[in-house]
Amino acid sequence: MTNGSITGRVRRLMVESPGSVGGRARARRLELTSSIFPDLQDMSVIDLGGTVDAWLTAHVRPRHVTVINIEDPGEAQDWITPVTGDACSAVATLVEAGLAPSCDVVFSNAVLEHVGGHANRVRFAQSVNDLSSRHWVQTPYRYFPIEPHWLFPGMQFLPVAARTRIAAVWPLAHSRAESLANARHEILWTELIGMTEMRDLFPDSRIIRERLAGLTKSLIAVRSD
């Protein structure tokens, strides 16, 4: 068995297959979302930073979903409207697209850590609150011992130069960086946060700790009223 096939199997076991650790966590998040918003199937949702494909495989189908992503969010469906744009300025993005800048609930999964620093996280949180009084925003927890994007222990605590070198060669990354410059770009656009900043960004929300093996793996800001 080649090294590539071994690492591929490890990554599928950890995060990519439906039965993986990550796959089961995603399923639990949707179950949690449905329990917090039991009428989700009757609601309009704006997904900040998501994809059409993610909703097509979800076990719950809201009345309508608008997906905003700075990259291609996918193809439109009869109940999903994709919009290419910046989630940190979601209201302006929707108005420019001729869509209503409001919804029943805002949803975002593993996006907050990729928006480009604290100032943009503040803008992102403001967008969430501007769109709806209800939201569900998840982000990986900085102090979980394994960095979730590269599956490398403690990587988030290393200097940028060290993280860049790891990202350039580490076989368990989601995708291998094409160059050292590309690896550095991915590193600089990935910044995990802790509980203090999450509470500061969403002071009126309940912060739920998602745990794995008793340790906090991610944080979820929820407001359901």
Side-chain angles (χ1 to χ4, degrees):
M1 184 180 295
T2 65
N3 184 60
S5 63
I6 292 173
T7 55
R9 286 183 61 185
V10 171
R11 185 160 186 94
R12 285 192 296 273
L13 177 66
M14 291 296 293
V15 296
E16 291 181 350
S17 70
S20 67
V21 174
R24 293 195 299 272
R26 288 188 291 272
R28 286 195 299 271
R29 285 175 203 149
L30 281 174
E31 291 174 1
L32 176 62
T33 306
S34 297
S35 68
I36 294 171
F37 303 103
D39 298 326
L40 188 61
Q41 70 274 7
D42 299 319
M43 291 181 170
S44 62
V45 174
I46 292 179
D47 182 349
L48 298 181
T51 64
V52 171
D53 285 347
W55 285 102
L56 291 177
T57 58
H59 79 281
V60 60
R61 174 173 166 168
R63 174 170 52 83
H64 189 269
V65 178
T66 301
V67 180
I68 301 176
N69 198 312
I70 201 165
E71 299 179 351
D72 181 12
E75 296 186 7
Q77 309 292 317
D78 59 352
W79 58 285
I80 308 177
T81 301
V83 179
T84 301
D86 186 359
C88 294
S89 54
V91 171
T93 294
L94 290 168
V95 169
E96 185 176 348
L99 300 171
S102 63
C103 62
D104 294 320
V105 60
V106 177
F107 180 89
S108 182
N109 186 66
V111 175
L112 186 61
E113 71 272 21
H114 295 300
V115 299
H118 177 71
N120 279 339
R121 287 193 289 275
V122 172
R123 293 177 59 227
F124 182 94
Q126 187 61 56
S127 288
V128 170
N129 290 318
D130 287 344
L131 293 169
S132 176
S133 62
R134 293 176 287 192
H135 56 252
W136 191 103
V137 178
Q138 184 269 358
T139 190
Y141 183 53
R142 174 174 174 78
Y143 299 101
F144 188 71
I146 298 176
E147 203 290 330
H149 302 89
W150 285 272
L151 299 181
F152 191 96
M155 183 176 174
Q156 64 270 37
F157 306 118
L158 299 175
V160 170
R163 282 183 281 153
T164 298
R165 289 194 293 271
I166 292 168
V169 299
W170 185 242
L172 295 181
H174 181 268
S175 58
R176 183 68 63 87
E178 298 177 359
S179 65
L180 196 64
N182 180 256
R184 185 182 306 110
H185 176 84
E186 294 299 323
I187 286 293
L188 292 174
W189 278 91
T190 305
E191 186 175 8
L192 305 182
I193 68 171
M195 178 63 82
T196 300
E197 185 174 353
M198 193 67 161
R199 284 177 173 154
D200 185 70
L201 291 170
F202 299 99
D204 299 321
S205 305
R206 175 165 59 108
I207 309 299
I208 299 172
R209 293 177 181 264
E210 181 183 41
R211 298 182 185 275
L212 179 64
L215 301 175
T216 300
K217 183 178 182 294
S218 69
L219 304 174
I220 307 171
V222 172
R223 186 170 180 182
S224 56
D225 54 2

PDB file of all heavy atoms in Angstrom, residues 113-143:
ATOM      1  N   GLU A 113     -13.170  31.348  11.075  1.00  0.00           N
ATOM      2  CA  GLU A 113     -11.705  31.310  11.199  1.00  0.00           C
ATOM      3  C   GLU A 113     -10.986  31.629   9.891  1.00  0.00           C
ATOM      4  O   GLU A 113      -9.757  31.714   9.849  1.00  0.00           O
ATOM      5  CB  GLU A 113     -11.246  29.947  11.722  1.00  0.00           C
ATOM      6  CG  GLU A 113     -11.371  28.784  10.748  1.00  0.00           C
ATOM      7  CD  GLU A 113     -12.722  28.087  10.775  1.00  0.00           C
ATOM      8  OE1 GLU A 113     -13.706  28.716  11.241  1.00  0.00           O
ATOM      9  OE2 GLU A 113     -12.790  26.939  10.320  1.00  0.00           O
ATOM     10  N   HIS A 114     -11.736  31.832   8.792  1.00  0.00           N
ATOM     11  CA  HIS A 114     -11.118  32.040   7.477  1.00  0.00           C
ATOM     12  C   HIS A 114     -11.395  33.423   6.878  1.00  0.00           C
ATOM     13  O   HIS A 114     -11.089  33.637   5.711  1.00  0.00           O
ATOM     14  CB  HIS A 114     -11.627  30.988   6.492  1.00  0.00           C
ATOM     15  CG  HIS A 114     -11.241  29.585   6.829  1.00  0.00           C
ATOM     16  ND1 HIS A 114      -9.925  29.171   6.919  1.00  0.00           N
ATOM     17  CD2 HIS A 114     -12.008  28.502   7.110  1.00  0.00           C
ATOM     18  CE1 HIS A 114      -9.905  27.877   7.232  1.00  0.00           C
ATOM     19  NE2 HIS A 114     -11.146  27.455   7.364  1.00  0.00           N
ATOM     20  N   VAL A 115     -11.968  34.348   7.635  1.00  0.00           N
ATOM     21  CA  VAL A 115     -12.398  35.607   7.029  1.00  0.00           C
ATOM     22  C   VAL A 115     -11.311  36.671   6.975  1.00  0.00           C
ATOM     23  O   VAL A 115     -11.502  37.722   6.362  1.00  0.00           O
ATOM     24  CB  VAL A 115     -13.653  36.168   7.740  1.00  0.00           C
ATOM     25  CG1 VAL A 115     -14.818  35.205   7.619  1.00  0.00           C
ATOM     26  CG2 VAL A 115     -13.362  36.490   9.203  1.00  0.00           C
ATOM     27  N   GLY A 116     -10.168  36.428   7.636  1.00  0.00           N
ATOM     28  CA  GLY A 116      -9.060  37.361   7.494  1.00  0.00           C
ATOM     29  C   GLY A 116      -8.831  38.300   8.657  1.00  0.00           C
ATOM     30  O   GLY A 116      -8.806  39.519   8.488  1.00  0.00           O
ATOM     31  N   GLY A 117      -8.656  37.749   9.853  1.00  0.00           N
ATOM     32  CA  GLY A 117      -8.281  38.564  11.000  1.00  0.00           C
ATOM     33  C   GLY A 117      -9.446  39.060  11.841  1.00  0.00           C
ATOM     34  O   GLY A 117     -10.620  38.926  11.480  1.00  0.00           O
ATOM     35  N   HIS A 118      -9.097  39.663  12.998  1.00  0.00           N
ATOM     36  CA  HIS A 118     -10.105  40.066  13.968  1.00  0.00           C
ATOM     37  C   HIS A 118     -11.061  41.110  13.419  1.00  0.00           C
ATOM     38  O   HIS A 118     -12.284  41.030  13.651  1.00  0.00           O
ATOM     39  CB  HIS A 118      -9.426  40.607  15.230  1.00  0.00           C
ATOM     40  CG  HIS A 118     -10.401  41.100  16.256  1.00  0.00           C
ATOM     41  ND1 HIS A 118     -11.213  40.257  16.982  1.00  0.00           N
ATOM     42  CD2 HIS A 118     -10.727  42.377  16.640  1.00  0.00           C
ATOM     43  CE1 HIS A 118     -11.981  40.968  17.786  1.00  0.00           C
ATOM     44  NE2 HIS A 118     -11.709  42.247  17.600  1.00  0.00           N
ATOM     45  N   ALA A 119     -10.546  42.087  12.689  1.00  0.00           N
ATOM     46  CA  ALA A 119     -11.423  43.143  12.171  1.00  0.00           C
ATOM     47  C   ALA A 119     -12.506  42.559  11.273  1.00  0.00           C
ATOM     48  O   ALA A 119     -13.676  42.968  11.348  1.00  0.00           O
ATOM     49  CB  ALA A 119     -10.604  44.183  11.408  1.00  0.00           C
ATOM     50  N   ASN A 120     -12.144  41.611  10.434  1.00  0.00           N
ATOM     51  CA  ASN A 120     -13.136  40.985   9.559  1.00  0.00           C
ATOM     52  C   ASN A 120     -14.059  40.046  10.330  1.00  0.00           C
ATOM     53  O   ASN A 120     -15.217  39.865   9.950  1.00  0.00           O
ATOM     54  CB  ASN A 120     -12.459  40.246   8.421  1.00  0.00           C
ATOM     55  CG  ASN A 120     -12.042  41.177   7.299  1.00  0.00           C
ATOM     56  OD1 ASN A 120     -12.563  42.286   7.169  1.00  0.00           O
ATOM     57  ND2 ASN A 120     -11.104  40.748   6.482  1.00  0.00           N
ATOM     58  N   ARG A 121     -13.581  39.455  11.412  1.00  0.00           N
ATOM     59  CA  ARG A 121     -14.479  38.640  12.240  1.00  0.00           C
ATOM     60  C   ARG A 121     -15.546  39.525  12.891  1.00  0.00           C
ATOM     61  O   ARG A 121     -16.702  39.113  13.029  1.00  0.00           O
ATOM     62  CB  ARG A 121     -13.686  37.864  13.300  1.00  0.00           C
ATOM     63  CG  ARG A 121     -12.893  36.706  12.702  1.00  0.00           C
ATOM     64  CD  ARG A 121     -12.373  35.768  13.769  1.00  0.00           C
ATOM     65  NE  ARG A 121     -11.300  36.330  14.568  1.00  0.00           N
ATOM     66  CZ  ARG A 121     -10.020  36.308  14.224  1.00  0.00           C
ATOM     67  NH1 ARG A 121      -9.636  35.759  13.079  1.00  0.00           N
ATOM     68  NH2 ARG A 121      -9.099  36.819  15.021  1.00  0.00           N
ATOM     69  N   VAL A 122     -15.158  40.735  13.279  1.00  0.00           N
ATOM     70  CA  VAL A 122     -16.136  41.685  13.817  1.00  0.00           C
ATOM     71  C   VAL A 122     -17.171  42.029  12.745  1.00  0.00           C
ATOM     72  O   VAL A 122     -18.381  42.069  13.006  1.00  0.00           O
ATOM     73  CB  VAL A 122     -15.436  42.960  14.331  1.00  0.00           C
ATOM     74  CG1 VAL A 122     -16.461  44.030  14.698  1.00  0.00           C
ATOM     75  CG2 VAL A 122     -14.566  42.627  15.541  1.00  0.00           C
ATOM     76  N   ARG A 123     -16.718  42.271  11.509  1.00  0.00           N
ATOM     77  CA  ARG A 123     -17.631  42.562  10.401  1.00  0.00           C
ATOM     78  C   ARG A 123     -18.540  41.373  10.125  1.00  0.00           C
ATOM     79  O   ARG A 123     -19.746  41.543   9.851  1.00  0.00           O
ATOM     80  CB  ARG A 123     -16.842  42.920   9.142  1.00  0.00           C
ATOM     81  CG  ARG A 123     -16.065  44.224   9.225  1.00  0.00           C
ATOM     82  CD  ARG A 123     -15.254  44.443   7.953  1.00  0.00           C
ATOM     83  NE  ARG A 123     -16.122  44.479   6.787  1.00  0.00           N
ATOM     84  CZ  ARG A 123     -15.871  43.807   5.662  1.00  0.00           C
ATOM     85  NH1 ARG A 123     -14.791  43.037   5.556  1.00  0.00           N
ATOM     86  NH2 ARG A 123     -16.706  43.890   4.646  1.00  0.00           N
ATOM     87  N   PHE A 124     -17.991  40.171  10.200  1.00  0.00           N
ATOM     88  CA  PHE A 124     -18.777  38.953   9.981  1.00  0.00           C
ATOM     89  C   PHE A 124     -19.880  38.848  11.029  1.00  0.00           C
ATOM     90  O   PHE A 124     -21.047  38.597  10.698  1.00  0.00           O
ATOM     91  CB  PHE A 124     -17.851  37.742  10.038  1.00  0.00           C
ATOM     92  CG  PHE A 124     -18.529  36.427   9.777  1.00  0.00           C
ATOM     93  CD1 PHE A 124     -18.547  35.884   8.501  1.00  0.00           C
ATOM     94  CD2 PHE A 124     -19.126  35.713  10.801  1.00  0.00           C
ATOM     95  CE1 PHE A 124     -19.163  34.668   8.248  1.00  0.00           C
ATOM     96  CE2 PHE A 124     -19.744  34.497  10.567  1.00  0.00           C
ATOM     97  CZ  PHE A 124     -19.765  33.973   9.281  1.00  0.00           C
ATOM     98  N   ALA A 125     -19.521  39.026  12.294  1.00  0.00           N
ATOM     99  CA  ALA A 125     -20.508  38.946  13.373  1.00  0.00           C
ATOM    100  C   ALA A 125     -21.579  40.017  13.208  1.00  0.00           C
ATOM    101  O   ALA A 125     -22.772  39.762  13.468  1.00  0.00           O
ATOM    102  CB  ALA A 125     -19.821  39.086  14.728  1.00  0.00           C
ATOM    103  N   GLN A 126     -21.193  41.200  12.768  1.00  0.00           N
ATOM    104  CA  GLN A 126     -22.179  42.259  12.528  1.00  0.00           C
ATOM    105  C   GLN A 126     -23.127  41.877  11.407  1.00  0.00           C
ATOM    106  O   GLN A 126     -24.337  42.133  11.479  1.00  0.00           O
ATOM    107  CB  GLN A 126     -21.479  43.581  12.204  1.00  0.00           C
ATOM    108  CG  GLN A 126     -22.421  44.768  12.102  1.00  0.00           C
ATOM    109  CD  GLN A 126     -23.168  45.024  13.400  1.00  0.00           C
ATOM    110  OE1 GLN A 126     -22.550  45.204  14.448  1.00  0.00           O
ATOM    111  NE2 GLN A 126     -24.491  45.041  13.349  1.00  0.00           N
ATOM    112  N   SER A 127     -22.586  41.240  10.357  1.00  0.00           N
ATOM    113  CA  SER A 127     -23.437  40.767   9.265  1.00  0.00           C
ATOM    114  C   SER A 127     -24.458  39.760   9.773  1.00  0.00           C
ATOM    115  O   SER A 127     -25.634  39.795   9.389  1.00  0.00           O
ATOM    116  CB  SER A 127     -22.585  40.124   8.159  1.00  0.00           C
ATOM    117  OG  SER A 127     -21.865  41.082   7.432  1.00  0.00           O
ATOM    118  N   VAL A 128     -24.007  38.843  10.624  1.00  0.00           N
ATOM    119  CA  VAL A 128     -24.913  37.844  11.202  1.00  0.00           C
ATOM    120  C   VAL A 128     -26.071  38.537  11.916  1.00  0.00           C
ATOM    121  O   VAL A 128     -27.251  38.214  11.703  1.00  0.00           O
ATOM    122  CB  VAL A 128     -24.155  36.914  12.174  1.00  0.00           C
ATOM    123  CG1 VAL A 128     -25.121  36.047  12.966  1.00  0.00           C
ATOM    124  CG2 VAL A 128     -23.156  36.047  11.413  1.00  0.00           C
ATOM    125  N   ASN A 129     -25.755  39.513  12.756  1.00  0.00           N
ATOM    126  CA  ASN A 129     -26.786  40.203  13.537  1.00  0.00           C
ATOM    127  C   ASN A 129     -27.672  41.106  12.681  1.00  0.00           C
ATOM    128  O   ASN A 129     -28.854  41.291  12.987  1.00  0.00           O
ATOM    129  CB  ASN A 129     -26.137  41.012  14.659  1.00  0.00           C
ATOM    130  CG  ASN A 129     -25.551  40.135  15.743  1.00  0.00           C
ATOM    131  OD1 ASN A 129     -26.162  39.149  16.141  1.00  0.00           O
ATOM    132  ND2 ASN A 129     -24.360  40.472  16.217  1.00  0.00           N
ATOM    133  N   ASP A 130     -27.107  41.644  11.596  1.00  0.00           N
ATOM    134  CA  ASP A 130     -27.902  42.498  10.707  1.00  0.00           C
ATOM    135  C   ASP A 130     -28.932  41.688   9.922  1.00  0.00           C
ATOM    136  O   ASP A 130     -30.004  42.197   9.576  1.00  0.00           O
ATOM    137  CB  ASP A 130     -27.002  43.242   9.724  1.00  0.00           C
ATOM    138  CG  ASP A 130     -26.210  44.363  10.380  1.00  0.00           C
ATOM    139  OD1 ASP A 130     -26.569  44.755  11.511  1.00  0.00           O
ATOM    140  OD2 ASP A 130     -25.236  44.828   9.770  1.00  0.00           O
ATOM    141  N   LEU A 131     -28.618  40.430   9.631  1.00  0.00           N
ATOM    142  CA  LEU A 131     -29.494  39.607   8.799  1.00  0.00           C
ATOM    143  C   LEU A 131     -30.662  39.008   9.571  1.00  0.00           C
ATOM    144  O   LEU A 131     -31.737  38.795   9.020  1.00  0.00           O
ATOM    145  CB  LEU A 131     -28.686  38.482   8.141  1.00  0.00           C
ATOM    146  CG  LEU A 131     -27.650  38.920   7.103  1.00  0.00           C
ATOM    147  CD1 LEU A 131     -26.743  37.756   6.739  1.00  0.00           C
ATOM    148  CD2 LEU A 131     -28.349  39.462   5.854  1.00  0.00           C
ATOM    149  N   SER A 132     -30.434  38.692  10.846  1.00  0.00           N
ATOM    150  CA  SER A 132     -31.488  38.057  11.628  1.00  0.00           C
ATOM    151  C   SER A 132     -31.157  38.134  13.117  1.00  0.00           C
ATOM    152  O   SER A 132     -29.986  38.233  13.496  1.00  0.00           O
ATOM    153  CB  SER A 132     -31.644  36.585  11.216  1.00  0.00           C
ATOM    154  OG  SER A 132     -32.603  35.926  12.013  1.00  0.00           O
ATOM    155  N   SER A 133     -32.187  38.055  13.947  1.00  0.00           N
ATOM    156  CA  SER A 133     -31.968  37.994  15.390  1.00  0.00           C
ATOM    157  C   SER A 133     -31.606  36.573  15.823  1.00  0.00           C
ATOM    158  O   SER A 133     -31.194  36.369  16.973  1.00  0.00           O
ATOM    159  CB  SER A 133     -33.229  38.452  16.133  1.00  0.00           C
ATOM    160  OG  SER A 133     -34.322  37.585  15.848  1.00  0.00           O
ATOM    161  N   ARG A 134     -31.751  35.608  14.926  1.00  0.00           N
ATOM    162  CA  ARG A 134     -31.452  34.212  15.254  1.00  0.00           C
ATOM    163  C   ARG A 134     -30.284  33.714  14.409  1.00  0.00           C
ATOM    164  O   ARG A 134     -30.209  34.006  13.214  1.00  0.00           O
ATOM    165  CB  ARG A 134     -32.691  33.332  15.023  1.00  0.00           C
ATOM    166  CG  ARG A 134     -33.818  33.635  15.996  1.00  0.00           C
ATOM    167  CD  ARG A 134     -35.064  32.840  15.697  1.00  0.00           C
ATOM    168  NE  ARG A 134     -35.744  33.335  14.510  1.00  0.00           N
ATOM    169  CZ  ARG A 134     -36.978  32.963  14.153  1.00  0.00           C
ATOM    170  NH1 ARG A 134     -37.641  32.071  14.858  1.00  0.00           N
ATOM    171  NH2 ARG A 134     -37.548  33.469  13.078  1.00  0.00           N
ATOM    172  N   HIS A 135     -29.400  32.954  15.058  1.00  0.00           N
ATOM    173  CA  HIS A 135     -28.249  32.460  14.308  1.00  0.00           C
ATOM    174  C   HIS A 135     -27.662  31.200  14.937  1.00  0.00           C
ATOM    175  O   HIS A 135     -27.931  30.860  16.093  1.00  0.00           O
ATOM    176  CB  HIS A 135     -27.170  33.536  14.189  1.00  0.00           C
ATOM    177  CG  HIS A 135     -26.697  34.080  15.497  1.00  0.00           C
ATOM    178  ND1 HIS A 135     -27.013  35.346  15.935  1.00  0.00           N
ATOM    179  CD2 HIS A 135     -25.937  33.542  16.491  1.00  0.00           C
ATOM    180  CE1 HIS A 135     -26.471  35.556  17.118  1.00  0.00           C
ATOM    181  NE2 HIS A 135     -25.808  34.471  17.485  1.00  0.00           N
ATOM    182  N   TRP A 136     -26.832  30.552  14.147  1.00  0.00           N
ATOM    183  CA  TRP A 136     -26.082  29.343  14.532  1.00  0.00           C
ATOM    184  C   TRP A 136     -24.734  29.455  13.837  1.00  0.00           C
ATOM    185  O   TRP A 136     -24.642  29.294  12.611  1.00  0.00           O
ATOM    186  CB  TRP A 136     -26.831  28.093  14.079  1.00  0.00           C
ATOM    187  CG  TRP A 136     -26.332  26.779  14.607  1.00  0.00           C
ATOM    188  CD1 TRP A 136     -26.883  26.041  15.607  1.00  0.00           C
ATOM    189  CD2 TRP A 136     -25.224  26.007  14.129  1.00  0.00           C
ATOM    190  NE1 TRP A 136     -26.183  24.872  15.791  1.00  0.00           N
ATOM    191  CE2 TRP A 136     -25.157  24.823  14.893  1.00  0.00           C
ATOM    192  CE3 TRP A 136     -24.265  26.204  13.129  1.00  0.00           C
ATOM    193  CZ2 TRP A 136     -24.187  23.852  14.697  1.00  0.00           C
ATOM    194  CZ3 TRP A 136     -23.292  25.242  12.927  1.00  0.00           C
ATOM    195  CH2 TRP A 136     -23.262  24.089  13.707  1.00  0.00           C
ATOM    196  N   VAL A 137     -23.669  29.784  14.585  1.00  0.00           N
ATOM    197  CA  VAL A 137     -22.350  30.040  14.002  1.00  0.00           C
ATOM    198  C   VAL A 137     -21.319  29.150  14.693  1.00  0.00           C
ATOM    199  O   VAL A 137     -21.104  29.268  15.904  1.00  0.00           O
ATOM    200  CB  VAL A 137     -21.941  31.523  14.144  1.00  0.00           C
ATOM    201  CG1 VAL A 137     -20.547  31.751  13.570  1.00  0.00           C
ATOM    202  CG2 VAL A 137     -22.974  32.426  13.457  1.00  0.00           C
ATOM    203  N   GLN A 138     -20.697  28.268  13.939  1.00  0.00           N
ATOM    204  CA  GLN A 138     -19.714  27.320  14.490  1.00  0.00           C
ATOM    205  C   GLN A 138     -18.314  27.647  13.990  1.00  0.00           C
ATOM    206  O   GLN A 138     -18.136  28.069  12.832  1.00  0.00           O
ATOM    207  CB  GLN A 138     -20.096  25.891  14.085  1.00  0.00           C
ATOM    208  CG  GLN A 138     -19.213  24.802  14.671  1.00  0.00           C
ATOM    209  CD  GLN A 138     -18.019  24.452  13.764  1.00  0.00           C
ATOM    210  OE1 GLN A 138     -17.860  24.988  12.667  1.00  0.00           O
ATOM    211  NE2 GLN A 138     -17.175  23.552  14.234  1.00  0.00           N
ATOM    212  N   THR A 139     -17.326  27.451  14.856  1.00  0.00           N
ATOM    213  CA  THR A 139     -15.921  27.594  14.455  1.00  0.00           C
ATOM    214  C   THR A 139     -15.068  26.650  15.302  1.00  0.00           C
ATOM    215  O   THR A 139     -15.376  26.408  16.474  1.00  0.00           O
ATOM    216  CB  THR A 139     -15.445  29.061  14.631  1.00  0.00           C
ATOM    217  OG1 THR A 139     -14.153  29.228  14.029  1.00  0.00           O
ATOM    218  CG2 THR A 139     -15.374  29.454  16.098  1.00  0.00           C
ATOM    219  N   PRO A 140     -14.015  26.068  14.740  1.00  0.00           N
ATOM    220  CA  PRO A 140     -13.146  25.197  15.540  1.00  0.00           C
ATOM    221  C   PRO A 140     -12.502  25.953  16.703  1.00  0.00           C
ATOM    222  O   PRO A 140     -12.216  27.151  16.597  1.00  0.00           O
ATOM    223  CB  PRO A 140     -12.080  24.743  14.529  1.00  0.00           C
ATOM    224  CG  PRO A 140     -12.723  24.902  13.194  1.00  0.00           C
ATOM    225  CD  PRO A 140     -13.619  26.096  13.319  1.00  0.00           C
ATOM    226  N   TYR A 141     -12.276  25.247  17.795  1.00  0.00           N
ATOM    227  CA  TYR A 141     -11.724  25.838  19.011  1.00  0.00           C
ATOM    228  C   TYR A 141     -10.198  25.866  18.940  1.00  0.00           C
ATOM    229  O   TYR A 141      -9.555  24.840  18.654  1.00  0.00           O
ATOM    230  CB  TYR A 141     -12.188  25.011  20.209  1.00  0.00           C
ATOM    231  CG  TYR A 141     -11.757  25.521  21.559  1.00  0.00           C
ATOM    232  CD1 TYR A 141     -11.991  26.828  21.955  1.00  0.00           C
ATOM    233  CD2 TYR A 141     -11.130  24.660  22.463  1.00  0.00           C
ATOM    234  CE1 TYR A 141     -11.623  27.286  23.207  1.00  0.00           C
ATOM    235  CE2 TYR A 141     -10.761  25.100  23.720  1.00  0.00           C
ATOM    236  CZ  TYR A 141     -11.005  26.413  24.088  1.00  0.00           C
ATOM    237  OH  TYR A 141     -10.633  26.853  25.335  1.00  0.00           O
ATOM    238  N   ARG A 142      -9.635  27.010  19.207  1.00  0.00           N
ATOM    239  CA  ARG A 142      -8.182  27.185  19.090  1.00  0.00           C
ATOM    240  C   ARG A 142      -7.400  26.212  19.963  1.00  0.00           C
ATOM    241  O   ARG A 142      -6.320  25.741  19.582  1.00  0.00           O
ATOM    242  CB  ARG A 142      -7.807  28.624  19.453  1.00  0.00           C
ATOM    243  CG  ARG A 142      -6.295  28.884  19.505  1.00  0.00           C
ATOM    244  CD  ARG A 142      -5.985  30.339  19.717  1.00  0.00           C
ATOM    245  NE  ARG A 142      -4.569  30.570  19.912  1.00  0.00           N
ATOM    246  CZ  ARG A 142      -3.657  30.600  18.937  1.00  0.00           C
ATOM    247  NH1 ARG A 142      -4.031  30.396  17.684  1.00  0.00           N
ATOM    248  NH2 ARG A 142      -2.377  30.816  19.201  1.00  0.00           N
ATOM    249  N   TYR A 143      -7.916  25.870  21.146  1.00  0.00           N
ATOM    250  CA  TYR A 143      -7.128  25.109  22.111  1.00  0.00           C
ATOM    251  C   TYR A 143      -7.410  23.611  22.093  1.00  0.00           C
ATOM    252  O   TYR A 143      -6.954  22.894  22.987  1.00  0.00           O
ATOM    253  CB  TYR A 143      -7.325  25.709  23.507  1.00  0.00           C
ATOM    254  CG  TYR A 143      -6.863  27.148  23.536  1.00  0.00           C
ATOM    255  CD1 TYR A 143      -7.785  28.197  23.475  1.00  0.00           C
ATOM    256  CD2 TYR A 143      -5.512  27.468  23.542  1.00  0.00           C
ATOM    257  CE1 TYR A 143      -7.374  29.510  23.449  1.00  0.00           C
ATOM    258  CE2 TYR A 143      -5.088  28.782  23.511  1.00  0.00           C
ATOM    259  CZ  TYR A 143      -6.014  29.799  23.473  1.00  0.00           C
ATOM    260  OH  TYR A 143      -5.598  31.111  23.429  1.00  0.00           O
TER     261      TYR A 143
END
